[in-house]
Amino acid sequence: MNFQQLRSVREAARRGFNLTEVAAMLHTSQSGVSRQIRELEEELGVDIFVRAGKRLTGMTPPGQTLLPIVERLLLEADNLKRAGSDFCASEEGRLSIAATHSQARYALPQVVRDFRVLFPKVGLHLHQGSPRQVAEMLLSGEADIGVATEALAGYDALVTLPCYRWTHSIVVPPGHPLLEGAAPPTLEQLARYPIITYELGYTGRAHIDAAFARAGLSPDIVLSAMDADVIKTYVELGMGVGIVASIAVDAERDRHLRLLDAGHLFEVNLTRLGLRRGAWLRGYAYRFIESFVPTLTREVVDRALASAAAAAR
């Protein structure tokens, strides 16, 4: 048994049993991948994959049982390499962060800047994606740390930690009728205007939809986007009323718009930090996390990871 055999099995499962993609990922040939899988099956005495001729079409029941073990072995092998590197060069290496656009644009810049000052020899890679894509990058090992509002808590293989709570704000052009009343706007008033806000699955959109649904209202959402800056641009053009994350609003930067608090209209949102259960974190990864959320000390993070590992056993 060798790691190339295990990697062949893992990648075949991850890539929908497409051996062409597996071979490209592992920098080998399709025949080489097939041989590695066959040799492992012969050694274990079971078929891991269902076949139609030479094609893999699915996983057998034994294969479904063995796959988590394969994943765990490869994860621990990676942890072993990281642990050795950590002792040899504690301030050198690579750190990969996956975050949604709002987090990357508004919550992380100061943290990234401070981290680069502290660890100039660490290559920092920042990936952006939807909450689901952030979770998938963590699960695949492409990212070490994930930051998102939604979705992360829905994956058993991830450990999630609370970062901070935030609300939404309403943005309108100067002179908009919503600015005339002394009282905060209501959902009924808001629903009278075309609305521009986040795409489904992004930045608290579920809480926005839920609030209107509870009130029996069907808002006219004329445009949705991943990016708060895009939303604000189209509000400036007069296309509608914007609903964005409060962290995405700055009175000086957005001086061409007027802001209204929407904390009373929509449920409070929680940004979460995600880690892959069982993954080894380098010392500087803990420093990044604590810089982002001072309450998430190394002790707190390690306790959460240990608790998740114990629960999985």
Side-chain angles (χ1 to χ4, degrees), residues 136-161:
E136 289 174 350
M137 283 187 271
L138 284 171
L139 292 170
S140 69
E142 183 179 354
D144 304 303
I145 299 169
V147 182
T149 301
E150 295 144 316
L152 292 187
Y155 293 81
D156 292 338
L158 298 181
V159 177
T160 62
L161 298 157

PDB file of all heavy atoms in Angstrom, residues 136-161:
ATOM      1  N   GLU A 136     -16.018  24.093   0.402  1.00  0.00           N
ATOM      2  CA  GLU A 136     -15.396  23.072  -0.444  1.00  0.00           C
ATOM      3  C   GLU A 136     -13.883  23.240  -0.498  1.00  0.00           C
ATOM      4  O   GLU A 136     -13.141  22.250  -0.544  1.00  0.00           O
ATOM      5  CB  GLU A 136     -15.997  23.134  -1.845  1.00  0.00           C
ATOM      6  CG  GLU A 136     -17.445  22.639  -1.893  1.00  0.00           C
ATOM      7  CD  GLU A 136     -18.086  22.825  -3.250  1.00  0.00           C
ATOM      8  OE1 GLU A 136     -17.483  23.519  -4.110  1.00  0.00           O
ATOM      9  OE2 GLU A 136     -19.189  22.284  -3.456  1.00  0.00           O
ATOM     10  N   MET A 137     -13.397  24.482  -0.488  1.00  0.00           N
ATOM     11  CA  MET A 137     -11.948  24.708  -0.484  1.00  0.00           C
ATOM     12  C   MET A 137     -11.327  24.220   0.818  1.00  0.00           C
ATOM     13  O   MET A 137     -10.209  23.695   0.834  1.00  0.00           O
ATOM     14  CB  MET A 137     -11.637  26.188  -0.724  1.00  0.00           C
ATOM     15  CG  MET A 137     -11.785  26.615  -2.177  1.00  0.00           C
ATOM     16  SD  MET A 137     -11.233  28.316  -2.498  1.00  0.00           S
ATOM     17  CE  MET A 137     -12.746  29.216  -2.193  1.00  0.00           C
ATOM     18  N   LEU A 138     -12.049  24.369   1.925  1.00  0.00           N
ATOM     19  CA  LEU A 138     -11.564  23.833   3.195  1.00  0.00           C
ATOM     20  C   LEU A 138     -11.531  22.307   3.162  1.00  0.00           C
ATOM     21  O   LEU A 138     -10.556  21.681   3.568  1.00  0.00           O
ATOM     22  CB  LEU A 138     -12.473  24.301   4.336  1.00  0.00           C
ATOM     23  CG  LEU A 138     -12.321  25.747   4.790  1.00  0.00           C
ATOM     24  CD1 LEU A 138     -13.445  26.107   5.754  1.00  0.00           C
ATOM     25  CD2 LEU A 138     -10.973  25.978   5.454  1.00  0.00           C
ATOM     26  N   LEU A 139     -12.607  21.715   2.667  1.00  0.00           N
ATOM     27  CA  LEU A 139     -12.710  20.258   2.658  1.00  0.00           C
ATOM     28  C   LEU A 139     -11.660  19.620   1.760  1.00  0.00           C
ATOM     29  O   LEU A 139     -11.148  18.540   2.062  1.00  0.00           O
ATOM     30  CB  LEU A 139     -14.111  19.843   2.200  1.00  0.00           C
ATOM     31  CG  LEU A 139     -15.258  20.189   3.162  1.00  0.00           C
ATOM     32  CD1 LEU A 139     -16.607  19.942   2.488  1.00  0.00           C
ATOM     33  CD2 LEU A 139     -15.151  19.380   4.445  1.00  0.00           C
ATOM     34  N   SER A 140     -11.332  20.288   0.663  1.00  0.00           N
ATOM     35  CA  SER A 140     -10.354  19.731  -0.280  1.00  0.00           C
ATOM     36  C   SER A 140      -8.916  19.967   0.169  1.00  0.00           C
ATOM     37  O   SER A 140      -7.986  19.392  -0.406  1.00  0.00           O
ATOM     38  CB  SER A 140     -10.558  20.351  -1.666  1.00  0.00           C
ATOM     39  OG  SER A 140     -10.184  21.717  -1.664  1.00  0.00           O
ATOM     40  N   GLY A 141      -8.724  20.826   1.172  1.00  0.00           N
ATOM     41  CA  GLY A 141      -7.371  21.162   1.595  1.00  0.00           C
ATOM     42  C   GLY A 141      -6.778  22.327   0.847  1.00  0.00           C
ATOM     43  O   GLY A 141      -5.641  22.733   1.112  1.00  0.00           O
ATOM     44  N   GLU A 142      -7.528  22.916  -0.085  1.00  0.00           N
ATOM     45  CA  GLU A 142      -7.028  24.070  -0.829  1.00  0.00           C
ATOM     46  C   GLU A 142      -6.874  25.283   0.084  1.00  0.00           C
ATOM     47  O   GLU A 142      -6.011  26.126  -0.139  1.00  0.00           O
ATOM     48  CB  GLU A 142      -7.976  24.394  -1.986  1.00  0.00           C
ATOM     49  CG  GLU A 142      -7.518  25.530  -2.877  1.00  0.00           C
ATOM     50  CD  GLU A 142      -8.470  25.807  -4.020  1.00  0.00           C
ATOM     51  OE1 GLU A 142      -9.438  25.041  -4.199  1.00  0.00           O
ATOM     52  OE2 GLU A 142      -8.245  26.790  -4.748  1.00  0.00           O
ATOM     53  N   ALA A 143      -7.728  25.374   1.101  1.00  0.00           N
ATOM     54  CA  ALA A 143      -7.670  26.483   2.050  1.00  0.00           C
ATOM     55  C   ALA A 143      -7.419  25.956   3.456  1.00  0.00           C
ATOM     56  O   ALA A 143      -7.907  24.885   3.826  1.00  0.00           O
ATOM     57  CB  ALA A 143      -8.957  27.295   2.011  1.00  0.00           C
ATOM     58  N   ASP A 144      -6.659  26.716   4.235  1.00  0.00           N
ATOM     59  CA  ASP A 144      -6.397  26.366   5.636  1.00  0.00           C
ATOM     60  C   ASP A 144      -7.462  26.944   6.557  1.00  0.00           C
ATOM     61  O   ASP A 144      -7.835  26.331   7.559  1.00  0.00           O
ATOM     62  CB  ASP A 144      -5.026  26.904   6.059  1.00  0.00           C
ATOM     63  CG  ASP A 144      -3.903  26.405   5.171  1.00  0.00           C
ATOM     64  OD1 ASP A 144      -3.751  25.168   5.064  1.00  0.00           O
ATOM     65  OD2 ASP A 144      -3.191  27.241   4.583  1.00  0.00           O
ATOM     66  N   ILE A 145      -7.927  28.143   6.229  1.00  0.00           N
ATOM     67  CA  ILE A 145      -8.897  28.864   7.049  1.00  0.00           C
ATOM     68  C   ILE A 145      -9.993  29.397   6.135  1.00  0.00           C
ATOM     69  O   ILE A 145      -9.705  29.907   5.052  1.00  0.00           O
ATOM     70  CB  ILE A 145      -8.224  30.036   7.795  1.00  0.00           C
ATOM     71  CG1 ILE A 145      -7.130  29.521   8.741  1.00  0.00           C
ATOM     72  CG2 ILE A 145      -9.245  30.871   8.561  1.00  0.00           C
ATOM     73  CD1 ILE A 145      -6.244  30.629   9.305  1.00  0.00           C
ATOM     74  N   GLY A 146     -11.237  29.285   6.571  1.00  0.00           N
ATOM     75  CA  GLY A 146     -12.357  29.821   5.802  1.00  0.00           C
ATOM     76  C   GLY A 146     -13.129  30.827   6.624  1.00  0.00           C
ATOM     77  O   GLY A 146     -13.283  30.668   7.828  1.00  0.00           O
ATOM     78  N   VAL A 147     -13.625  31.885   5.960  1.00  0.00           N
ATOM     79  CA  VAL A 147     -14.419  32.904   6.639  1.00  0.00           C
ATOM     80  C   VAL A 147     -15.665  33.172   5.803  1.00  0.00           C
ATOM     81  O   VAL A 147     -15.564  33.554   4.636  1.00  0.00           O
ATOM     82  CB  VAL A 147     -13.624  34.221   6.821  1.00  0.00           C
ATOM     83  CG1 VAL A 147     -14.468  35.248   7.583  1.00  0.00           C
ATOM     84  CG2 VAL A 147     -12.310  33.972   7.546  1.00  0.00           C
ATOM     85  N   ALA A 148     -16.838  32.956   6.405  1.00  0.00           N
ATOM     86  CA  ALA A 148     -18.096  33.161   5.695  1.00  0.00           C
ATOM     87  C   ALA A 148     -19.221  33.299   6.705  1.00  0.00           C
ATOM     88  O   ALA A 148     -19.070  32.962   7.883  1.00  0.00           O
ATOM     89  CB  ALA A 148     -18.378  32.003   4.733  1.00  0.00           C
ATOM     90  N   THR A 149     -20.348  33.775   6.225  1.00  0.00           N
ATOM     91  CA  THR A 149     -21.513  33.930   7.102  1.00  0.00           C
ATOM     92  C   THR A 149     -22.374  32.681   7.083  1.00  0.00           C
ATOM     93  O   THR A 149     -22.765  32.170   8.123  1.00  0.00           O
ATOM     94  CB  THR A 149     -22.344  35.148   6.660  1.00  0.00           C
ATOM     95  OG1 THR A 149     -21.521  36.304   6.718  1.00  0.00           O
ATOM     96  CG2 THR A 149     -23.542  35.345   7.577  1.00  0.00           C
ATOM     97  N   GLU A 150     -22.692  32.209   5.893  1.00  0.00           N
ATOM     98  CA  GLU A 150     -23.596  31.074   5.774  1.00  0.00           C
ATOM     99  C   GLU A 150     -22.846  29.812   5.348  1.00  0.00           C
ATOM    100  O   GLU A 150     -21.716  29.870   4.908  1.00  0.00           O
ATOM    101  CB  GLU A 150     -24.688  31.401   4.741  1.00  0.00           C
ATOM    102  CG  GLU A 150     -25.586  32.530   5.199  1.00  0.00           C
ATOM    103  CD  GLU A 150     -26.025  33.433   4.053  1.00  0.00           C
ATOM    104  OE1 GLU A 150     -25.176  33.782   3.218  1.00  0.00           O
ATOM    105  OE2 GLU A 150     -27.189  33.775   4.036  1.00  0.00           O
ATOM    106  N   ALA A 151     -23.476  28.699   5.519  1.00  0.00           N
ATOM    107  CA  ALA A 151     -23.054  27.397   4.976  1.00  0.00           C
ATOM    108  C   ALA A 151     -21.997  26.651   5.783  1.00  0.00           C
ATOM    109  O   ALA A 151     -22.048  25.437   5.864  1.00  0.00           O
ATOM    110  CB  ALA A 151     -22.580  27.526   3.519  1.00  0.00           C
ATOM    111  N   LEU A 152     -21.020  27.330   6.360  1.00  0.00           N
ATOM    112  CA  LEU A 152     -19.920  26.611   6.994  1.00  0.00           C
ATOM    113  C   LEU A 152     -20.393  25.670   8.092  1.00  0.00           C
ATOM    114  O   LEU A 152     -19.841  24.585   8.275  1.00  0.00           O
ATOM    115  CB  LEU A 152     -18.899  27.591   7.576  1.00  0.00           C
ATOM    116  CG  LEU A 152     -18.087  28.433   6.576  1.00  0.00           C
ATOM    117  CD1 LEU A 152     -17.017  29.219   7.308  1.00  0.00           C
ATOM    118  CD2 LEU A 152     -17.456  27.563   5.506  1.00  0.00           C
ATOM    119  N   ALA A 153     -21.407  26.072   8.839  1.00  0.00           N
ATOM    120  CA  ALA A 153     -21.872  25.249   9.962  1.00  0.00           C
ATOM    121  C   ALA A 153     -22.583  23.984   9.501  1.00  0.00           C
ATOM    122  O   ALA A 153     -22.857  23.099  10.308  1.00  0.00           O
ATOM    123  CB  ALA A 153     -22.803  26.063  10.860  1.00  0.00           C
ATOM    124  N   GLY A 154     -22.865  23.881   8.210  1.00  0.00           N
ATOM    125  CA  GLY A 154     -23.614  22.730   7.710  1.00  0.00           C
ATOM    126  C   GLY A 154     -22.755  21.551   7.287  1.00  0.00           C
ATOM    127  O   GLY A 154     -23.268  20.593   6.711  1.00  0.00           O
ATOM    128  N   TYR A 155     -21.455  21.572   7.556  1.00  0.00           N
ATOM    129  CA  TYR A 155     -20.550  20.505   7.134  1.00  0.00           C
ATOM    130  C   TYR A 155     -19.950  19.820   8.357  1.00  0.00           C
ATOM    131  O   TYR A 155     -19.237  20.459   9.149  1.00  0.00           O
ATOM    132  CB  TYR A 155     -19.431  21.058   6.247  1.00  0.00           C
ATOM    133  CG  TYR A 155     -19.905  21.566   4.910  1.00  0.00           C
ATOM    134  CD1 TYR A 155     -20.467  22.836   4.790  1.00  0.00           C
ATOM    135  CD2 TYR A 155     -19.810  20.782   3.763  1.00  0.00           C
ATOM    136  CE1 TYR A 155     -20.913  23.315   3.558  1.00  0.00           C
ATOM    137  CE2 TYR A 155     -20.249  21.249   2.533  1.00  0.00           C
ATOM    138  CZ  TYR A 155     -20.800  22.511   2.438  1.00  0.00           C
ATOM    139  OH  TYR A 155     -21.231  22.972   1.221  1.00  0.00           O
ATOM    140  N   ASP A 156     -20.224  18.528   8.502  1.00  0.00           N
ATOM    141  CA  ASP A 156     -19.735  17.786   9.666  1.00  0.00           C
ATOM    142  C   ASP A 156     -18.212  17.719   9.720  1.00  0.00           C
ATOM    143  O   ASP A 156     -17.635  17.606  10.803  1.00  0.00           O
ATOM    144  CB  ASP A 156     -20.305  16.357   9.666  1.00  0.00           C
ATOM    145  CG  ASP A 156     -21.796  16.340   9.908  1.00  0.00           C
ATOM    146  OD1 ASP A 156     -22.320  17.333  10.471  1.00  0.00           O
ATOM    147  OD2 ASP A 156     -22.458  15.351   9.526  1.00  0.00           O
ATOM    148  N   ALA A 157     -17.558  17.767   8.555  1.00  0.00           N
ATOM    149  CA  ALA A 157     -16.101  17.642   8.522  1.00  0.00           C
ATOM    150  C   ALA A 157     -15.394  18.956   8.838  1.00  0.00           C
ATOM    151  O   ALA A 157     -14.165  19.004   8.852  1.00  0.00           O
ATOM    152  CB  ALA A 157     -15.646  17.121   7.161  1.00  0.00           C
ATOM    153  N   LEU A 158     -16.158  20.025   9.085  1.00  0.00           N
ATOM    154  CA  LEU A 158     -15.569  21.314   9.417  1.00  0.00           C
ATOM    155  C   LEU A 158     -15.836  21.669  10.875  1.00  0.00           C
ATOM    156  O   LEU A 158     -16.871  21.324  11.433  1.00  0.00           O
ATOM    157  CB  LEU A 158     -16.142  22.422   8.522  1.00  0.00           C
ATOM    158  CG  LEU A 158     -15.891  22.305   7.016  1.00  0.00           C
ATOM    159  CD1 LEU A 158     -16.505  23.492   6.297  1.00  0.00           C
ATOM    160  CD2 LEU A 158     -14.406  22.199   6.711  1.00  0.00           C
ATOM    161  N   VAL A 159     -14.889  22.347  11.458  1.00  0.00           N
ATOM    162  CA  VAL A 159     -15.057  22.921  12.794  1.00  0.00           C
ATOM    163  C   VAL A 159     -15.263  24.418  12.594  1.00  0.00           C
ATOM    164  O   VAL A 159     -14.450  25.077  11.942  1.00  0.00           O
ATOM    165  CB  VAL A 159     -13.810  22.680  13.668  1.00  0.00           C
ATOM    166  CG1 VAL A 159     -13.976  23.338  15.029  1.00  0.00           C
ATOM    167  CG2 VAL A 159     -13.555  21.189  13.813  1.00  0.00           C
ATOM    168  N   THR A 160     -16.368  24.967  13.121  1.00  0.00           N
ATOM    169  CA  THR A 160     -16.636  26.391  12.943  1.00  0.00           C
ATOM    170  C   THR A 160     -16.641  27.109  14.282  1.00  0.00           C
ATOM    171  O   THR A 160     -17.094  26.577  15.287  1.00  0.00           O
ATOM    172  CB  THR A 160     -17.988  26.624  12.231  1.00  0.00           C
ATOM    173  OG1 THR A 160     -19.053  26.104  13.039  1.00  0.00           O
ATOM    174  CG2 THR A 160     -18.003  25.939  10.877  1.00  0.00           C
ATOM    175  N   LEU A 161     -16.116  28.319  14.249  1.00  0.00           N
ATOM    176  CA  LEU A 161     -16.003  29.141  15.453  1.00  0.00           C
ATOM    177  C   LEU A 161     -16.633  30.506  15.183  1.00  0.00           C
ATOM    178  O   LEU A 161     -16.458  31.065  14.094  1.00  0.00           O
ATOM    179  CB  LEU A 161     -14.538  29.313  15.835  1.00  0.00           C
ATOM    180  CG  LEU A 161     -13.797  28.017  16.176  1.00  0.00           C
ATOM    181  CD1 LEU A 161     -12.303  28.196  15.987  1.00  0.00           C
ATOM    182  CD2 LEU A 161     -14.096  27.615  17.606  1.00  0.00           C
TER     183      LEU A 161
END
